[in-house]
Amino acid sequence: MNVANRMSGFVPRTGEITIAGQVALCDPRGALFLPHLNLLVVSDLHLEKGSSAARRGSLLPPYDTGATLDRLAAVIDDLRPSTVLSLGDSFHDDGGAGRMPGFYREKLLALMTGRDWIWVTGNHDPQAPVGLPGMVAEEIAIDGLRFRHEPSAGAQSGEIAGHLHPGAMVIQRGRAVRRRCFAADGDRLIMPAFGAFTGSLNVLDRAYHGLFRWERFIAHMLGNVRVYAIPGGRLRMG
Amino acid sequence: MLLIAPTGAGKTLAGFLPALTDLAMRPKRKPGEAHRGVHTLYISPLKALAVDIERNLSRPVVEMQLPVSIETRTGDTPHHKRQRQKLAPPDILLSTPEQLALLIASKDADRFFADLKYVVLDELHSLVTSKRGHLLALGLARLRKLVPSLQTIGLSATVAEPDALRRWLVAQNPPGNMAALITVAGGAKPIITILESEERVPWAGHSARYAIVDVYEAIKAHRTTLLFVNTRSQAEFLFQELWRVNDDTLPIALHHGSLDVAQRRRVENAMEANALRAVVATSTLDLGIDWGDVDLVIHVGAPKGASRLAQRIGRSNHRMDEPSRAILVPANRFEVLECRAALEANYLGAQDTPPLIDGALDVLAQHIMGMACAAPFDAHALWQEVRAAEPYARLDEAIFVRVVDFVATGGYALRSYERYARIRQTKEGLWRVSHPRYAQQYRLNVGTIVEEAMLNVRLIKRGGRRGAMGGMTLGKVEGGFVESLTHGDTFLFAGKMLRFEGIRENEVYVSNAAGQDAKVPSYAGGKFPLSTYLAAEVRSMLANPKRWQALPEQVAGWLEMQKLKSMLPNAADLLVETFPRGKRFYMVLYPFEGRLAHQTLGMLLTRRLERAGARPLGFVATDYSLGVWAHGDLGAMIASGELSLSALFDEDMLGDDRDAWLAESYMLKRTFRACAVISGLIEKRHPGKEKTGRQVTVSADLIYDVLRTHDPDHILLHATRADAAAGLLDVRRLADMLSRIRGHIVHKPLDRISPLAVPVMLEIGRESVKGEADDVLLSEVEDDLIREAMS
């Protein structure tokens, strides 16, 4: 038995967490896996963000879609979910799916083959992605958990959302370490952004006010090989 | 023409003589006649220098009643004045490389410069070694195209290789063309001493607190003293400490680049009026600025490169016939050695300006965009124009074409951005800007100085509401410094003790915290490596006990102890000491190659020790030595042959290990970020909103990762690697060192710490971990919490 189990979940050493009583695994690549549902959740892929910026004259590399899909493919390959749920802002804008180069489309379609796929709509992509299969929903409830893009105000038991791109910072030995994170308090969860070009917003920002029970808040920060659970008291703004 | 003369020889005025003569002979403009363009353009590396020259040049012009107008144009020049200058240009325009880039990128550049006769380039030796120098070289190439008869006049302090500067000043067709050279012999030799203090010289640290009273006495004994330090935090600290002992309330001021412009001007004016007894300054006052009647320069901390020292000492007694006076104040024992070496180097007249490097491609990309903003261009013609600039004389046309492609569509192998091109070819094959907003973006982002995000420091009432209006702006601090502060922490800035209240957007809120002890910002140091020459001097001084007589007794005694307890290496040898301490085993080496080189070496050594099963735990680097510690008994492993020192320090560590490490390193990411910003891939500033440095950092890192995996041959990655290879002096230093010490590594196993090892050991714990240990730190935070919970 490892230290964490003996400590009744206070500092989980694995990426295992509970949300409103349900067990979920936080993958350090930024995806959430619900074993009993065989469901993989990713949020804020922001596919085609590079080409979206290019339209405005910022010629960012056009490879972000490829990088994001490669990482998603690796996660799917490891966990073999029967359902994938993309929790909104899957494309950076409504034209994204249409702009996606052919071979990236092929790559995505290959990932979708043989499993259920749910597109939850987000503020960046309020419409269903053009020309792609999969089910589309604004909000969906599965087995006592509610999935939606934007977190609803106030404490919401069992809600899993995205949108805010949570990130956290700690200072250790005079050095700041910033990472994307799963933001959770045992009742609700906000997913990190999965996209290759997505930035993050510190969980201490005003935007998170009132969403969590702070005394039980934990930022599950994404490390290179595992997730690190850091309680709210150790986090810093910046 | 290149004019080389020591400081104080009056070379700046000499540089203007041809222009002034010409202007004096020129017939007056008749009323109603069109305004004439600029006659003489003066470019200096510092805004302050341009302002200073305006003062010094206006005086004789007014006295001689010459009909000559002189104006400055810098980033600080108000918009309406710049507009007016475009319509009615002054005869002599004093400016900076960035402003030149903007001027030649405007549509009426040909008219503005139509009457240009001379370009005077001040402090050329310091301009040409950087990307700013590349930008300036490209600007000069364009001026030569606009005005083929243009004459350039370069002003420089003494340099090791004047021929490089001579080529730089003239068009490189034919290649190797050189400007004429005039050299003025040096004036009186400076009188330099090392501060002799009764106090104990510390083993480590950079504050020089021990010497404050002696420094204060020296200030009292002179009319006006300039005190130079290496970093801003040292300046703040020294200023504070001087005022603590300033019983005579002498007017002592502070001057550094982070202070608010208005505060800096006040100090400069007071200085010019001889109203100050001392100014504590960083490199903002470094170059040939001629203020007031300085009769003493005090340098606190190690002066690093010998030419830096010469430059700084040139500040005092700005007259050729009188010797300058300077006092060096070493902050620790190793600095005593370095100061001694620097002092002897200065008498020998040794110079060490870094070698010129080939023009950077990110700067070229910026220039190409600027040229498209000025007028549609033909790629082949622009390539030929650019090649006339010395840094780009060896530029391949194929590479040039790739850079044009980068400016147009990003230059990606995946060609999906044709429809978003920023510049497009016309039917005639000329490249032109595809939308006016790209020209605006260019103008907002011009320049090659990519600084860490700076935050405004605003003084509010203690506990005052953040974001409330008002509060005086004190200046700017680095974001990296602020993030280490928590509410209530105190620190020194702008000569004040401040309490950190909070951050909001790009403002730091502080309140007065008089009477409290400051949490002094850690010394960021190590920016300037010891010059190769100086490092060699320090090594040979260590090896030769006869030379210790020149050292203060306590420092000589320290070396005697080292000889007794351990050993002192020969000048050609690298000493490696090993000893146990606590539950760990330490290895300390003394390469004297500067902190950056040592950090790189530390990173590579720990990788190798890991593979050798020595279980390294960490390392710490100073300017002089490197300490590594491990679980494994390093001394025993070396003694038994289990660990081979020659294998450990084999030169191939710079091949395999370095490439693997470099690709992942923070350093390369930062280099990439600079290239991405300079080349225009990422905007520093966007019309309407300012991006903060933090946002730039995040996205640049993400872009780097994606680009490296998906387009490893991209032109910007080439540019980044070239920068890393050429710009990272430390890697070359390391390569030279590794080849030098082959067969000269001396291992000294000890059962306890040696006197020479004390300074680096004192740094352990004080030093934050550098490198790629982010995950280690996160796991430490978790472990701390577990320990807390379990105890």
Side-chain angles (χ1 to χ4, degrees):
Chain A
M1 204 164 72
N2 69 22
V3 180
N5 290 345
R6 269 186 283 129
M7 291 167 56
S8 62
F10 172 61
V11 181
R13 297 280 297 174
T14 67
E16 199 176 294
I17 63 168
T18 54
I19 310 150
Q22 303 226 27
V23 173
L25 289 173
C26 298
D27 187 285
R29 288 164 288 196
L32 186 76
F33 186 61
L34 299 156
H36 64 293
L37 297 172
N38 205 5
L39 169 72
L40 183 75
V41 188
V42 287
S43 187
D44 297 272
L45 302 180
H46 286 265
L47 299 172
E48 290 301 306
K49 183 172 179 175
S51 64
S52 186
R55 293 184 308 166
R56 299 190 308 272
S58 256
L59 301 172
L60 300 184
Y63 308 111
D64 56 315
T65 300
T68 304
L69 291 179
D70 284 351
R71 194 149 36 91
L72 184 56
V75 175
I76 288 178
D77 209 41
D78 287 350
L79 299 170
R80 313 240 163 219
S82 57
T83 309
V84 172
L85 192 155
S86 178
L87 204 48
D89 288 1
S90 307
F91 285 89
H92 192 65
D93 58 65
D94 262 343
R99 279 199 313 273
M100 183 162 53
F103 50 93
Y104 286 156
R105 173 183 305 275
E106 297 303 317
K107 206 176 242 187
L108 176 56
L109 287 172
L111 289 180
M112 298 178 77
T113 306
R115 54 180 54 90
D116 291 331
W117 198 280
I118 305 165
W119 301 106
V120 169
T121 55
N123 53 313
H124 279 259
D125 54 352
Q127 309 295 324
V130 179
L132 286 171
M135 178 188 152
V136 180
E138 262 183 53
E139 187 175 320
I140 190 165
I142 307 172
D143 207 21
L145 295 172
R146 274 182 312 108
F147 298 88
R148 52 180 283 137
H149 179 63
E150 290 191 36
S152 2
Q156 296 285 340
S157 189
E159 184 184 281
I160 296 176
H163 183 59
L164 290 173
H165 299 205
M169 175 175 113
V170 292
I171 291 172
Q172 176 73 351
R173 289 202 260 155
R175 170 106 178 271
V177 182
R178 286 184 189 77
R179 289 299 165 93
R180 302 181 198 194
C181 68
F182 295 87
D185 65 355
D187 272 350
R188 77 185 306 171
L189 173 86
I190 300 181
M191 299 276 303
F194 193 86
F197 277 176
T198 49
S200 57
L201 180 68
N202 195 302
V203 291
L204 301 184
D205 191 90
R206 269 178 297 184
Y208 297 87
H209 276 352
L211 296 180
F212 294 102
R213 288 173 304 163
W214 185 244
E215 65 283 0
R216 291 181 58 185
F217 181 83
I218 290 180
H220 301 269
M221 297 174 72
L222 308 187
N224 291 333
V225 289
R226 46 169 287 227
V227 170
Y228 299 89
I230 314 292
R234 278 303 298 265
L235 303 177
R236 295 282 174 272
M237 190 66 201
Chain B
M1 189 213 311
L2 177 64
L3 173 57
I4 289 181
T7 321
K11 62 175 173 291
T12 307
L13 214 53
F16 279 105
L17 275 180
L20 290 176
T21 316
D22 198 44
L23 281 167
M25 313 284 278
R26 195 174 67 165
K28 256 190 157 162
R29 182 175 79 97
K30 293 187 190 78
E33 201 178 316
H35 282 283
R36 285 185 280 219
V38 167
H39 177 277
T40 296
L41 179 67
Y42 164 89
I43 303 284
S44 87
L46 288 177
K47 281 187 255 184
L49 194 51
V51 175
D52 186 53
I53 296 295
E54 186 183 19
R55 275 197 291 254
N56 292 343
L57 194 59
S58 295
R59 207 171 298 145
V61 163
V62 170
E63 280 167 12
M64 288 187 280
Q65 293 179 317
L66 293 177
V68 174
S69 58
I70 303 168
E71 288 180 13
T72 56
R73 183 187 180 97
T74 70
D76 293 341
T77 308
H79 183 70
H80 64 88
K81 189 175 170 192
R82 289 194 218 184
Q83 291 293 97
R84 207 258 303 129
Q85 282 175 341
K86 281 231 166 164
L87 297 171
D91 299 317
I92 297 178
L93 184 67
L94 312 167
S95 197
T96 60
E98 291 74 22
Q99 292 300 318
L100 173 61
L102 284 173
L103 285 168
I104 56 168
S106 69
K107 289 193 161 51
D108 52 5
D110 46 354
R111 195 180 55 77
F112 189 80
F113 288 116
D115 300 309
L116 189 67
K117 296 267 184 313
Y118 297 101
V119 178
V120 181
L121 302 149
D122 207 351
E123 304 287 342
L124 191 61
H125 57 285
S126 83
L127 262 176
V128 294
T129 51
S130 64
K131 286 191 179 181
R132 275 183 106 196
H134 300 161
L135 187 69
L136 180 58
L138 292 167
L140 213 51
R142 172 48 60 109
L143 285 179
R144 272 191 217 106
K145 188 183 167 230
L146 295 174
V147 191
S149 63
L150 183 71
Q151 286 208 42
T152 49
I153 299 167
L155 312 175
S156 169
T158 317
V159 286
E161 287 173 54
D163 285 359
L165 293 187
R166 293 170 68 193
R167 283 194 300 277
W168 201 95
L169 280 171
V170 291
Q172 289 303 293
N173 43 10
N177 231 356
M178 283 203 277
L181 174 68
I182 299 173
T183 309
V184 177
K189 282 247 161 88
I191 300 169
I192 313 170
T193 52
I194 296 176
L195 183 83
E196 295 274 345
S197 179
E198 296 293 307
E199 305 295 325
R200 193 171 153 276
V201 182
W203 295 86
H206 300 274
S207 73
R209 182 187 247 153
Y210 78 97
I212 291 299
V213 172
D214 299 292
V215 168
Y216 183 68
E217 290 305 318
I219 293 171
K220 274 195 354 196
H222 289 82
R223 284 192 308 274
T224 311
T225 304
L226 271 183
L227 296 111
F228 281 115
V229 292
N230 287 326
T231 68
R232 192 200 76 217
S233 62
Q234 280 180 304
E236 294 279 358
F237 182 82
L238 180 61
F239 178 74
Q240 198 74 16
E241 290 297 307
L242 281 173
W243 271 95
R244 224 187 266 268
V245 297
N246 191 0
D247 296 331
D248 307 280
T249 52
L250 302 178
I252 298 175
L254 176 67
H255 192 288
H256 59 70
S258 301
L259 291 178
D260 189 61
V261 151
Q263 301 212 31
R264 270 183 279 155
R265 292 289 169 271
R266 266 201 299 281
V267 173
E268 288 159 17
N269 291 335
M271 185 82 184
E272 204 206 357
N274 281 328
L276 296 176
R277 289 294 296 278
V279 179
V280 180
T282 58
S283 56
T284 37
L285 271 171
D286 217 344
L287 296 162
I289 298 172
D290 192 1
W291 279 317
D293 196 8
V294 176
D295 57 344
L296 176 67
V297 168
I298 294 182
H299 189 102
V300 177
K304 303 302 165 198
S307 51
R308 277 181 75 78
L309 180 64
Q311 183 79 241
R312 292 187 157 186
I313 286 169
R315 300 276 27 83
S316 81
N317 262 11
H318 237 165
R319 283 172 220 132
M320 285 276 278
D321 46 352
E322 283 177 39
S324 305
R325 279 178 189 280
I327 300 175
L328 306 181
V329 183
N332 59 51
R333 295 180 171 204
F334 271 121
E335 285 188 357
V336 172
L337 297 177
E338 190 186 329
C339 284
R340 190 79 227 166
L343 195 151
E344 287 170 18
N346 196 54
Y347 277 123
L348 296 168
Q351 288 293 332
D352 47 67
T353 315
L356 304 191
I357 49 169
D358 276 350
L361 297 181
D362 51 351
V363 179
L364 179 63
Q366 187 183 101
H367 180 70
I368 289 172
M369 190 66 196
M371 292 307 89
C373 294
F377 68 82
D378 173 75
H380 182 71
L382 186 59
W383 172 64
Q384 284 179 319
E385 177 189 322
V386 159
R387 280 208 319 161
E390 205 285 330
Y392 294 92
R394 293 153 295 278
L395 178 71
D396 209 49
E397 187 164 17
I399 297 287
F400 180 81
V401 168
R402 283 188 67 184
V403 179
V404 172
D405 181 40
F406 166 81
V407 174
T409 62
Y412 300 108
L414 178 62
R415 306 207 59 86
S416 56
Y417 286 172
E418 305 297 335
R419 65 199 136 142
Y420 309 127
R422 287 184 299 192
I423 59 174
R424 268 181 223 286
Q425 270 182 304
T426 62
K427 273 195 261 35
E428 298 75 36
L430 301 182
W431 291 91
R432 63 176 305 152
V433 177
S434 62
H435 195 283
R437 72 167 179 267
Y438 300 141
Q440 197 195 351
Q441 267 177 19
Y442 165 80
R443 282 193 290 273
L444 279 173
N445 289 285
V446 84
T448 60
I449 301 169
V450 180
E451 282 160 350
E452 198 195 340
M454 298 293 276
L455 304 173
N456 277 322
V457 182
R458 206 174 265 283
L459 186 63
I460 57 170
K461 283 209 191 81
R462 181 154 181 177
R465 208 163 66 81
R466 299 175 218 170
M469 294 296 286
M472 183 173 65
T473 304
L474 299 175
K476 287 172 185 292
V477 289
E478 301 87 1
F481 167 60
V482 176
E483 76 188 17
S484 65
L485 298 175
T486 50
H487 183 85
D489 277 349
T490 53
F491 63 102
L492 290 170
F493 186 77
K496 293 177 169 36
M497 188 82 75
L498 300 172
R499 183 171 183 274
F500 177 65
E501 298 284 347
I503 312 178
R504 175 117 168 244
E505 277 142 30
N506 62 345
E507 306 244 284
V508 183
Y509 293 93
V510 297
S511 62
N512 272 317
Q516 299 183 15
D517 254 343
K519 170 189 169 173
V520 179
S522 65
Y523 174 71
K527 268 196 227 159
F528 314 110
L530 263 76
S531 72
T532 318
Y533 182 84
L534 217 46
E537 275 297 301
V538 171
R539 275 197 303 271
S540 80
M541 187 177 294
L542 266 187
N544 184 356
K546 283 199 194 104
R547 294 181 66 178
W548 301 355
Q549 288 159 8
L551 297 170
E553 216 177 284
Q554 44 181 326
V555 177
W558 172 51
L559 297 181
E560 289 289 356
M561 279 306 278
Q562 169 70 16
K563 205 169 144 193
L564 199 71
K565 303 264 181 193
S566 173
M567 63 177 293
L568 283 160
N570 290 323
D573 290 347
L574 174 72
L575 172 62
V576 177
E577 293 175 334
T578 51
F579 52 86
R581 193 159 184 275
K583 286 179 186 151
R584 292 165 170 184
F585 296 92
Y586 291 81
M587 175 162 90
V588 178
L589 33 144
Y590 307 90
F592 296 97
E593 298 293 349
R595 179 147 137 160
L596 287 174
H598 295 164
Q599 260 169 7
T600 307
L601 181 63
M603 220 95 75
L604 297 174
L605 270 184
T606 39
R607 268 182 176 244
R608 290 204 158 178
L609 287 169
E610 186 77 59
R611 277 207 300 267
R615 290 177 295 153
L617 290 162
F619 68 89
V620 63
T622 71
D623 280 333
Y624 311 97
S625 50
L626 172 69
V628 183
W629 57 98
H631 275 309
D633 186 342
L634 298 171
M637 287 175 80
I638 295 169
S640 72
E642 196 184 334
L643 196 62
S644 151
L645 278 180
S646 58
L648 201 56
F649 289 93
D650 196 287
E651 280 172 274
D652 71 9
M653 75 158 41
L654 286 178
D656 49 357
D657 278 336
R658 192 199 77 172
D659 289 348
W661 164 74
L662 206 56
E664 290 293 330
S665 79
Y666 170 69
M667 190 161 55
L668 209 66
K669 284 187 174 170
R670 208 165 63 171
T671 309
F672 175 79
R673 172 175 167 251
C675 286
V677 170
I678 293 169
S679 67
L681 180 67
I682 298 174
E683 295 151 64
K684 251 187 313 196
R685 301 202 299 158
H686 192 78
K689 61 168 185 191
E690 284 223 14
K691 278 199 147 198
T692 68
R694 168 76 52 226
Q695 282 164 306
V696 172
T697 308
V698 171
S699 47
D701 286 359
L702 296 175
I703 290 167
Y704 174 75
D705 286 338
V706 165
L707 205 52
R708 191 160 65 86
T709 341
H710 290 81
D711 204 343
D713 196 38
H714 191 263
I715 189 84
L716 214 52
L717 293 178
H718 277 287
T720 305
R721 284 190 286 262
D723 267 15
L728 293 175
L729 226 53
D730 55 312
V731 174
R732 265 188 292 168
R733 287 286 291 272
L734 212 50
D736 292 347
M737 184 202 96
L738 291 175
S739 90
R740 193 189 73 229
I741 61 166
R742 198 170 29 190
H744 292 280
I745 306 171
V746 183
H747 175 218
K748 183 78 185 171
L750 300 168
D751 50 17
R752 58 156 78 180
I753 178 173
S754 76
L756 215 54
V758 170
V760 75
M761 295 290 286
L762 285 173
E763 291 291 330
I764 296 174
R766 197 183 294 180
E767 174 82 345
S768 66
V769 211
K770 288 278 187 280
E772 283 66 52
D774 282 6
D775 271 48
V776 175
L777 295 178
L778 283 174
S779 132
E780 277 182 16
V781 176
E782 260 195 9
D783 290 348
D784 284 357
L785 297 163
I786 290 166
R787 251 197 312 278
E788 223 172 89
M790 298 299 281
S791 62

